[in-house]
């Protein structure tokens, strides 16, 4: 099930490869996070998404329906 965090990460600028480089993970990891197959498990990964893309830590626990139409933070 997709989370608000996965929707916001997918809407964030850049390719999956670019996002992976900025977040310090693999492109496959970003793909799994964006599709909702998995979510960042560690605080460090969630915090990297917050620092780089402005995705709130709690967004990974909220269902995707709350992010429909949301714009990623600039």
């Amino acid at each position: 099930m997709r989370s608000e965090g996965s929707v916001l990460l997918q809407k964030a600028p850049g390719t999956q490869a670019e996002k992976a480089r900025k977040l310090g993970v693999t492109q496959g990891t970003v793909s799994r996070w964006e599709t909702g197959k998995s979510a960042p498990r560690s605080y460090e990964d969630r915090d990297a998404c917050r620092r780089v893309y402005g995705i709130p830590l709690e967004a990974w626990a909220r269902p995707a329906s709350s992010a429909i139409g949301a714009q990623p933070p600039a």
Side-chain angles (χ1 to χ4, degrees), residues 8-32:
L8 293 172
L9 181 60
Q10 188 174 38
K11 289 182 176 185
T15 65
Q16 288 181 348
E18 291 166 339
K19 293 172 191 178
R21 184 179 48 77
K22 289 180 180 182
L23 296 172
V25 297
T26 67
Q27 182 271 328
T29 296
V30 171
S31 175
R32 287 188 296 277

Side-chain angles (χ1 to χ4, degrees), residues 25-62:
V25 297
T26 67
Q27 182 271 328
T29 296
V30 171
S31 175
R32 287 188 296 277
W33 292 351
E34 287 185 348
T35 60
K37 290 183 180 179
S38 68
R41 291 187 184 135
S42 71
Y43 172 81
E44 290 78 13
D45 287 341
R46 290 188 307 269
D47 190 52
C49 292
R50 181 193 59 78
R51 284 183 287 105
V52 176
Y53 294 109
I55 300 171
L57 297 174
E58 64 276 7
W60 297 100
R62 289 194 291 252

